[in-house]
Each structure stands twice: as C-alpha cells, then as structure tokens.
Amino acid sequence: LSAAADGTVSCLVVADPHVPSEYDRAMVRTTADTVVWAPEGEGRRTLAAAALRDGLRVAVRFTGPVAESYPVQAVAADVEVLSGL
C-alpha cells in the first residue's frame, strides 16, 4: 500500500480463493474520481482513499482499461470496504 501526496492510493488486492473472481491479484490505483465506501445500516458511508490500509477486506470495481500484466493493473471506479475498519 502506498499513498501519494495528492490523496491517491495504490495497493495490491489479493482475491479470496473462496470467492469467484476474474483475477487473483490486482495492483489497483485510486483517483480523485474513485468512490471509497463502507455499508452502514441501510445506506453507505463514504470514506477517504487514505482510509484504505493493509488487511482490509474489499470489493473493487475497475474503470477504464486493465493492463494484462501479472498482477493486472487497473484504476478503481469504486472500492467497497467489506470488513476490517
């Protein structure tokens, strides 16, 4: 996990082997347009990208092209924090 001065974050996301996923690992970068959030009651709570840290369980949706390297590299459209906050 690395944070930039502009508030963006880059992190390696490793898929849960028990959950079907297109990729087993992805290097994901947030941008100013990335929505980071966590469920809260019947709604959701928006978080800053700086709230992301190692050990969180997340679901990530990509936007734009995905670099087909290993691990794949992509920009996050949104990051849902499932647990670990």
Side-chain angles (χ1 to χ4, degrees):
L1 181 76
S2 65
D6 63 1
T8 62
V9 173
S10 294
C11 57
L12 177 65
V13 177
V14 179
D16 180 335
H18 301 100
V19 177
S21 177
E22 190 170 346
Y23 306 106
D24 68 338
R25 286 176 170 44
M27 182 57 72
V28 178
R29 182 174 52 90
T30 66
T31 69
D33 296 325
T34 303
V35 177
V36 180
W37 62 283
E40 184 170 81
E42 295 295 318
R44 65 188 211 173
R45 169 175 52 134
T46 302
L47 305 167
L52 297 173
R53 63 180 190 280
D54 290 339
L56 294 177
R57 188 166 171 253
V58 298
V60 179
R61 186 172 55 90
F62 301 151
T63 185
V66 174
E68 295 291 330
S69 58
Y70 188 79
V72 298
Q73 298 173 47
V75 172
D78 68 74
V79 179
E80 177 185 3
V81 178
L82 302 171
S83 65
L85 282 177

